Amino acid sequence: MALAKLGVVVLDCPDPRALAGFYAEVLGGTVEGDGEWVDVKVPGGQALAFQAAPGHTPPQWPRADHDSQQFHLDLTVEDLDAAEKGVLALGAKALDAEDRSRSFRVYADPAGHPFCLCAC
């Protein structure tokens, strides 16, 4: 039984609207939103989201030593507490999960990539 389902892939960038426009053109999607968070809705496909990241440093491919977060996964769950217990048991590490009043919690996977558990 799955603990979560993929909600949206989020890419950090300096200009969310501009990058969303690029991907909307590439994927045939539509841009929704403005400001620090912008979505691209793709007909019959997975949506992408773009989040403002002041001071964003683009990846230098291929460079294994570049440690800036380039994207994170938002995983939609019905029960945050149960999903948290499950991901921690699988080897995730809590990065920002102390605030129980929010609708999301932040973790790192076993390789250190960040992801969020988000209440649906």
Side-chain angles (χ1 to χ4, degrees):
M1 179 167 140
L3 293 174
K5 66 179 182 175
L6 182 63
V8 66
V9 174
V10 182
L11 286 82
D12 287 355
C13 59
D15 185 342
R17 184 103 179 137
L19 192 56
F22 170 79
Y23 279 101
E25 288 293 322
V26 170
L27 301 171
T30 57
V31 177
E32 296 182 6
D34 224 340
E36 294 189 12
W37 184 281
V38 178
D39 294 315
V40 171
K41 304 294 183 182
V42 181
Q46 184 67 39
L48 289 174
F50 304 87
Q51 175 177 275
H56 172 75
T57 303
Q60 298 173 14
W61 187 89
R63 292 266 315 257
D65 63 340
H66 204 267
D67 60 358
S68 173
Q69 172 183 284
Q70 299 301 315
F71 74 96
H72 71 268
L73 298 175
D74 280 354
L75 305 177
T76 304
V77 301
E78 292 191 23
D79 183 331
L80 277 172
D81 292 331
E84 175 180 64
K85 183 178 179 181
V87 299
L88 292 174
L90 292 171
K93 177 183 174 186
L95 297 178
D96 184 16
E98 296 81 23
D99 185 350
R100 301 301 203 192
S101 68
R102 296 184 312 203
S103 62
F104 68 94
R105 299 176 191 164
V106 185
Y107 305 87
D109 68 20
H113 300 106
F115 69 94
C116 297
L117 294 177
C118 304
C120 55

PDB file of all heavy atoms in Angstrom, residues 70-94:
ATOM      1  N   GLN A  70      17.603  22.059  -6.285  1.00  0.00           N
ATOM      2  CA  GLN A  70      17.106  22.469  -7.592  1.00  0.00           C
ATOM      3  C   GLN A  70      15.616  22.195  -7.751  1.00  0.00           C
ATOM      4  O   GLN A  70      14.967  22.822  -8.571  1.00  0.00           O
ATOM      5  CB  GLN A  70      17.894  21.770  -8.697  1.00  0.00           C
ATOM      6  CG  GLN A  70      19.366  22.107  -8.673  1.00  0.00           C
ATOM      7  CD  GLN A  70      19.623  23.594  -8.813  1.00  0.00           C
ATOM      8  OE1 GLN A  70      19.025  24.252  -9.663  1.00  0.00           O
ATOM      9  NE2 GLN A  70      20.472  24.157  -7.981  1.00  0.00           N
ATOM     10  N   PHE A  71      15.085  21.251  -7.023  1.00  0.00           N
ATOM     11  CA  PHE A  71      13.653  20.995  -7.009  1.00  0.00           C
ATOM     12  C   PHE A  71      13.329  20.149  -5.782  1.00  0.00           C
ATOM     13  O   PHE A  71      14.227  19.620  -5.146  1.00  0.00           O
ATOM     14  CB  PHE A  71      13.181  20.288  -8.289  1.00  0.00           C
ATOM     15  CG  PHE A  71      13.560  18.847  -8.376  1.00  0.00           C
ATOM     16  CD1 PHE A  71      12.664  17.854  -7.993  1.00  0.00           C
ATOM     17  CD2 PHE A  71      14.794  18.465  -8.848  1.00  0.00           C
ATOM     18  CE1 PHE A  71      13.015  16.511  -8.064  1.00  0.00           C
ATOM     19  CE2 PHE A  71      15.154  17.127  -8.927  1.00  0.00           C
ATOM     20  CZ  PHE A  71      14.250  16.150  -8.540  1.00  0.00           C
ATOM     21  N   HIS A  72      12.048  20.074  -5.451  1.00  0.00           N
ATOM     22  CA  HIS A  72      11.619  19.162  -4.410  1.00  0.00           C
ATOM     23  C   HIS A  72      10.269  18.581  -4.815  1.00  0.00           C
ATOM     24  O   HIS A  72       9.614  19.119  -5.705  1.00  0.00           O
ATOM     25  CB  HIS A  72      11.549  19.844  -3.036  1.00  0.00           C
ATOM     26  CG  HIS A  72      10.429  20.826  -2.893  1.00  0.00           C
ATOM     27  ND1 HIS A  72      10.577  22.166  -3.166  1.00  0.00           N
ATOM     28  CD2 HIS A  72       9.144  20.662  -2.498  1.00  0.00           C
ATOM     29  CE1 HIS A  72       9.434  22.787  -2.946  1.00  0.00           C
ATOM     30  NE2 HIS A  72       8.549  21.903  -2.544  1.00  0.00           N
ATOM     31  N   LEU A  73       9.897  17.507  -4.188  1.00  0.00           N
ATOM     32  CA  LEU A  73       8.621  16.868  -4.476  1.00  0.00           C
ATOM     33  C   LEU A  73       7.615  17.202  -3.388  1.00  0.00           C
ATOM     34  O   LEU A  73       7.942  17.166  -2.211  1.00  0.00           O
ATOM     35  CB  LEU A  73       8.791  15.350  -4.555  1.00  0.00           C
ATOM     36  CG  LEU A  73       9.717  14.828  -5.637  1.00  0.00           C
ATOM     37  CD1 LEU A  73       9.865  13.316  -5.500  1.00  0.00           C
ATOM     38  CD2 LEU A  73       9.200  15.198  -7.013  1.00  0.00           C
ATOM     39  N   ASP A  74       6.394  17.521  -3.791  1.00  0.00           N
ATOM     40  CA  ASP A  74       5.271  17.640  -2.872  1.00  0.00           C
ATOM     41  C   ASP A  74       4.463  16.360  -3.004  1.00  0.00           C
ATOM     42  O   ASP A  74       3.965  16.046  -4.086  1.00  0.00           O
ATOM     43  CB  ASP A  74       4.385  18.847  -3.226  1.00  0.00           C
ATOM     44  CG  ASP A  74       4.948  20.155  -2.736  1.00  0.00           C
ATOM     45  OD1 ASP A  74       5.958  20.142  -2.022  1.00  0.00           O
ATOM     46  OD2 ASP A  74       4.374  21.199  -3.079  1.00  0.00           O
ATOM     47  N   LEU A  75       4.350  15.616  -1.923  1.00  0.00           N
ATOM     48  CA  LEU A  75       3.616  14.366  -1.911  1.00  0.00           C
ATOM     49  C   LEU A  75       2.332  14.557  -1.122  1.00  0.00           C
ATOM     50  O   LEU A  75       2.362  14.912   0.056  1.00  0.00           O
ATOM     51  CB  LEU A  75       4.467  13.258  -1.298  1.00  0.00           C
ATOM     52  CG  LEU A  75       5.831  13.052  -1.962  1.00  0.00           C
ATOM     53  CD1 LEU A  75       6.620  11.978  -1.225  1.00  0.00           C
ATOM     54  CD2 LEU A  75       5.676  12.707  -3.429  1.00  0.00           C
ATOM     55  N   THR A  76       1.209  14.337  -1.780  1.00  0.00           N
ATOM     56  CA  THR A  76      -0.095  14.549  -1.175  1.00  0.00           C
ATOM     57  C   THR A  76      -0.488  13.333  -0.344  1.00  0.00           C
ATOM     58  O   THR A  76      -0.399  12.201  -0.823  1.00  0.00           O
ATOM     59  CB  THR A  76      -1.150  14.780  -2.274  1.00  0.00           C
ATOM     60  OG1 THR A  76      -0.724  15.874  -3.091  1.00  0.00           O
ATOM     61  CG2 THR A  76      -2.507  15.104  -1.671  1.00  0.00           C
ATOM     62  N   VAL A  77      -0.894  13.579   0.902  1.00  0.00           N
ATOM     63  CA  VAL A  77      -1.281  12.495   1.810  1.00  0.00           C
ATOM     64  C   VAL A  77      -2.604  12.827   2.485  1.00  0.00           C
ATOM     65  O   VAL A  77      -2.975  13.993   2.613  1.00  0.00           O
ATOM     66  CB  VAL A  77      -0.198  12.241   2.886  1.00  0.00           C
ATOM     67  CG1 VAL A  77       1.123  11.879   2.235  1.00  0.00           C
ATOM     68  CG2 VAL A  77      -0.013  13.439   3.795  1.00  0.00           C
ATOM     69  N   GLU A  78      -3.299  11.794   2.906  1.00  0.00           N
ATOM     70  CA  GLU A  78      -4.560  12.010   3.622  1.00  0.00           C
ATOM     71  C   GLU A  78      -4.339  12.180   5.117  1.00  0.00           C
ATOM     72  O   GLU A  78      -5.093  12.870   5.777  1.00  0.00           O
ATOM     73  CB  GLU A  78      -5.528  10.866   3.336  1.00  0.00           C
ATOM     74  CG  GLU A  78      -5.999  10.873   1.894  1.00  0.00           C
ATOM     75  CD  GLU A  78      -7.143   9.923   1.648  1.00  0.00           C
ATOM     76  OE1 GLU A  78      -7.865   9.575   2.606  1.00  0.00           O
ATOM     77  OE2 GLU A  78      -7.315   9.541   0.485  1.00  0.00           O
ATOM     78  N   ASP A  79      -3.311  11.545   5.644  1.00  0.00           N
ATOM     79  CA  ASP A  79      -3.041  11.596   7.083  1.00  0.00           C
ATOM     80  C   ASP A  79      -1.560  11.922   7.281  1.00  0.00           C
ATOM     81  O   ASP A  79      -0.700  11.058   7.092  1.00  0.00           O
ATOM     82  CB  ASP A  79      -3.403  10.247   7.713  1.00  0.00           C
ATOM     83  CG  ASP A  79      -3.224  10.205   9.220  1.00  0.00           C
ATOM     84  OD1 ASP A  79      -2.353  10.943   9.757  1.00  0.00           O
ATOM     85  OD2 ASP A  79      -3.935   9.416   9.870  1.00  0.00           O
ATOM     86  N   LEU A  80      -1.262  13.172   7.645  1.00  0.00           N
ATOM     87  CA  LEU A  80       0.130  13.604   7.804  1.00  0.00           C
ATOM     88  C   LEU A  80       0.881  12.779   8.841  1.00  0.00           C
ATOM     89  O   LEU A  80       2.036  12.401   8.624  1.00  0.00           O
ATOM     90  CB  LEU A  80       0.186  15.088   8.187  1.00  0.00           C
ATOM     91  CG  LEU A  80       0.088  16.101   7.063  1.00  0.00           C
ATOM     92  CD1 LEU A  80      -0.051  17.512   7.642  1.00  0.00           C
ATOM     93  CD2 LEU A  80       1.294  16.016   6.157  1.00  0.00           C
ATOM     94  N   ASP A  81       0.247  12.503   9.962  1.00  0.00           N
ATOM     95  CA  ASP A  81       0.930  11.758  11.027  1.00  0.00           C
ATOM     96  C   ASP A  81       1.287  10.341  10.582  1.00  0.00           C
ATOM     97  O   ASP A  81       2.406   9.871  10.813  1.00  0.00           O
ATOM     98  CB  ASP A  81       0.079  11.725  12.296  1.00  0.00           C
ATOM     99  CG  ASP A  81      -0.067  13.097  12.949  1.00  0.00           C
ATOM    100  OD1 ASP A  81       0.855  13.923  12.804  1.00  0.00           O
ATOM    101  OD2 ASP A  81      -1.103  13.336  13.589  1.00  0.00           O
ATOM    102  N   ALA A  82       0.352   9.662   9.938  1.00  0.00           N
ATOM    103  CA  ALA A  82       0.609   8.299   9.473  1.00  0.00           C
ATOM    104  C   ALA A  82       1.684   8.282   8.384  1.00  0.00           C
ATOM    105  O   ALA A  82       2.577   7.431   8.384  1.00  0.00           O
ATOM    106  CB  ALA A  82      -0.680   7.666   8.952  1.00  0.00           C
ATOM    107  N   ALA A  83       1.598   9.227   7.453  1.00  0.00           N
ATOM    108  CA  ALA A  83       2.593   9.288   6.381  1.00  0.00           C
ATOM    109  C   ALA A  83       3.969   9.626   6.943  1.00  0.00           C
ATOM    110  O   ALA A  83       4.981   9.060   6.511  1.00  0.00           O
ATOM    111  CB  ALA A  83       2.166  10.310   5.334  1.00  0.00           C
ATOM    112  N   GLU A  84       4.014  10.542   7.921  1.00  0.00           N
ATOM    113  CA  GLU A  84       5.287  10.877   8.551  1.00  0.00           C
ATOM    114  C   GLU A  84       5.918   9.639   9.179  1.00  0.00           C
ATOM    115  O   GLU A  84       7.103   9.359   8.978  1.00  0.00           O
ATOM    116  CB  GLU A  84       5.086  11.949   9.613  1.00  0.00           C
ATOM    117  CG  GLU A  84       6.361  12.262  10.385  1.00  0.00           C
ATOM    118  CD  GLU A  84       6.154  13.318  11.443  1.00  0.00           C
ATOM    119  OE1 GLU A  84       5.375  13.072  12.400  1.00  0.00           O
ATOM    120  OE2 GLU A  84       6.751  14.393  11.298  1.00  0.00           O
ATOM    121  N   LYS A  85       5.141   8.886   9.920  1.00  0.00           N
ATOM    122  CA  LYS A  85       5.646   7.677  10.552  1.00  0.00           C
ATOM    123  C   LYS A  85       6.207   6.721   9.497  1.00  0.00           C
ATOM    124  O   LYS A  85       7.276   6.141   9.667  1.00  0.00           O
ATOM    125  CB  LYS A  85       4.524   6.998  11.351  1.00  0.00           C
ATOM    126  CG  LYS A  85       4.965   5.778  12.102  1.00  0.00           C
ATOM    127  CD  LYS A  85       3.812   5.191  12.919  1.00  0.00           C
ATOM    128  CE  LYS A  85       4.265   3.936  13.645  1.00  0.00           C
ATOM    129  NZ  LYS A  85       3.177   3.340  14.417  1.00  0.00           N
ATOM    130  N   GLY A  86       5.496   6.601   8.392  1.00  0.00           N
ATOM    131  CA  GLY A  86       5.932   5.708   7.332  1.00  0.00           C
ATOM    132  C   GLY A  86       7.225   6.140   6.661  1.00  0.00           C
ATOM    133  O   GLY A  86       8.128   5.324   6.464  1.00  0.00           O
ATOM    134  N   VAL A  87       7.342   7.439   6.313  1.00  0.00           N
ATOM    135  CA  VAL A  87       8.560   7.886   5.619  1.00  0.00           C
ATOM    136  C   VAL A  87       9.763   7.858   6.545  1.00  0.00           C
ATOM    137  O   VAL A  87      10.870   7.535   6.110  1.00  0.00           O
ATOM    138  CB  VAL A  87       8.401   9.280   4.941  1.00  0.00           C
ATOM    139  CG1 VAL A  87       7.288   9.240   3.894  1.00  0.00           C
ATOM    140  CG2 VAL A  87       8.189  10.396   5.936  1.00  0.00           C
ATOM    141  N   LEU A  88       9.564   8.157   7.826  1.00  0.00           N
ATOM    142  CA  LEU A  88      10.675   8.078   8.776  1.00  0.00           C
ATOM    143  C   LEU A  88      11.154   6.632   8.930  1.00  0.00           C
ATOM    144  O   LEU A  88      12.354   6.369   9.001  1.00  0.00           O
ATOM    145  CB  LEU A  88      10.280   8.680  10.122  1.00  0.00           C
ATOM    146  CG  LEU A  88      10.041  10.201  10.131  1.00  0.00           C
ATOM    147  CD1 LEU A  88       9.505  10.644  11.491  1.00  0.00           C
ATOM    148  CD2 LEU A  88      11.292  10.973   9.743  1.00  0.00           C
ATOM    149  N   ALA A  89      10.215   5.692   8.929  1.00  0.00           N
ATOM    150  CA  ALA A  89      10.578   4.281   9.033  1.00  0.00           C
ATOM    151  C   ALA A  89      11.353   3.809   7.802  1.00  0.00           C
ATOM    152  O   ALA A  89      12.168   2.885   7.885  1.00  0.00           O
ATOM    153  CB  ALA A  89       9.323   3.427   9.221  1.00  0.00           C
ATOM    154  N   LEU A  90      11.116   4.463   6.677  1.00  0.00           N
ATOM    155  CA  LEU A  90      11.807   4.097   5.438  1.00  0.00           C
ATOM    156  C   LEU A  90      13.156   4.785   5.290  1.00  0.00           C
ATOM    157  O   LEU A  90      13.866   4.557   4.319  1.00  0.00           O
ATOM    158  CB  LEU A  90      10.923   4.435   4.233  1.00  0.00           C
ATOM    159  CG  LEU A  90       9.667   3.586   4.084  1.00  0.00           C
ATOM    160  CD1 LEU A  90       8.762   4.148   2.994  1.00  0.00           C
ATOM    161  CD2 LEU A  90      10.046   2.138   3.794  1.00  0.00           C
ATOM    162  N   GLY A  91      13.507   5.656   6.245  1.00  0.00           N
ATOM    163  CA  GLY A  91      14.823   6.288   6.213  1.00  0.00           C
ATOM    164  C   GLY A  91      14.844   7.775   5.934  1.00  0.00           C
ATOM    165  O   GLY A  91      15.909   8.363   5.809  1.00  0.00           O
ATOM    166  N   ALA A  92      13.676   8.421   5.856  1.00  0.00           N
ATOM    167  CA  ALA A  92      13.633   9.876   5.676  1.00  0.00           C
ATOM    168  C   ALA A  92      14.077  10.568   6.966  1.00  0.00           C
ATOM    169  O   ALA A  92      14.035   9.983   8.048  1.00  0.00           O
ATOM    170  CB  ALA A  92      12.229  10.333   5.299  1.00  0.00           C
ATOM    171  N   LYS A  93      14.511  11.810   6.817  1.00  0.00           N
ATOM    172  CA  LYS A  93      14.924  12.626   7.957  1.00  0.00           C
ATOM    173  C   LYS A  93      14.062  13.887   7.981  1.00  0.00           C
ATOM    174  O   LYS A  93      13.890  14.540   6.954  1.00  0.00           O
ATOM    175  CB  LYS A  93      16.395  13.007   7.797  1.00  0.00           C
ATOM    176  CG  LYS A  93      16.921  13.923   8.874  1.00  0.00           C
ATOM    177  CD  LYS A  93      18.360  14.297   8.605  1.00  0.00           C
ATOM    178  CE  LYS A  93      18.823  15.331   9.624  1.00  0.00           C
ATOM    179  NZ  LYS A  93      20.171  15.825   9.321  1.00  0.00           N
ATOM    180  N   ALA A  94      13.517  14.235   9.134  1.00  0.00           N
ATOM    181  CA  ALA A  94      12.720  15.453   9.249  1.00  0.00           C
ATOM    182  C   ALA A  94      13.629  16.670   9.116  1.00  0.00           C
ATOM    183  O   ALA A  94      14.664  16.754   9.769  1.00  0.00           O
ATOM    184  CB  ALA A  94      11.987  15.483  10.589  1.00  0.00           C
TER     185      ALA A  94
END
